[in-house]
Amino acid sequence: NLQQLPITTVTHPVLNEFGDYKQVNIVRIARFQPRAQLAPSGITSPIIIDVLGSDGREYRELVKPMDDLRQDAVMQQVFGLVNKVLHSSA
């Protein structure tokens, strides 16, 4: 059931303003767009797909067959924090 899958490239809040998870609006996959392409580089030949989110926006996702994306997600969070720190000190 695609409606249960969150979109991984969206930054989701950990908690809502009440300090719980009950009312957090998580953007989920509404449907896959009918196109895909191979990324121009990469060891595992990642595939780029576009998905329509439950919020009506289109998101670009990277699919890497036979690979664990958890490390990529952690590194994306680290880069986001570094960007925030660099931007705030500029």
Side-chain angles (χ1 to χ4, degrees):
N1 190 356
L2 293 178
Q3 287 75 25
Q4 299 301 315
L5 296 174
I7 295 180
T8 58
T9 54
V10 175
T11 302
H12 298 290
V14 177
L15 298 172
N16 63 18
E17 64 273 11
F18 304 110
D20 61 27
Y21 298 99
K22 294 178 186 172
Q23 299 174 351
V24 175
N25 292 323
I26 295 177
V27 180
R28 300 185 186 279
I29 295 174
R31 71 172 189 263
F32 291 95
Q33 299 293 40
R35 59 185 176 271
Q37 65 185 40
L38 284 175
S41 65
I43 296 170
T44 58
S45 297
I47 300 168
I48 301 169
I49 61 171
D50 295 314
V51 297
L52 186 65
S54 57
D55 61 352
R57 294 178 55 195
E58 192 171 284
Y59 295 92
R60 185 152 283 183
E61 300 290 314
L62 195 64
V63 179
K64 294 168 69 175
M66 307 298 287
D67 200 359
D68 187 356
L69 297 178
R70 290 176 290 188
Q71 184 176 2
D72 292 352
V74 170
M75 290 310 299
Q76 185 175 2
Q77 291 174 351
V78 168
F79 292 143
L81 289 172
V82 169
N83 284 340
K84 268 186 179 177
V85 168
L86 292 175
H87 183 68
S88 67
S89 64

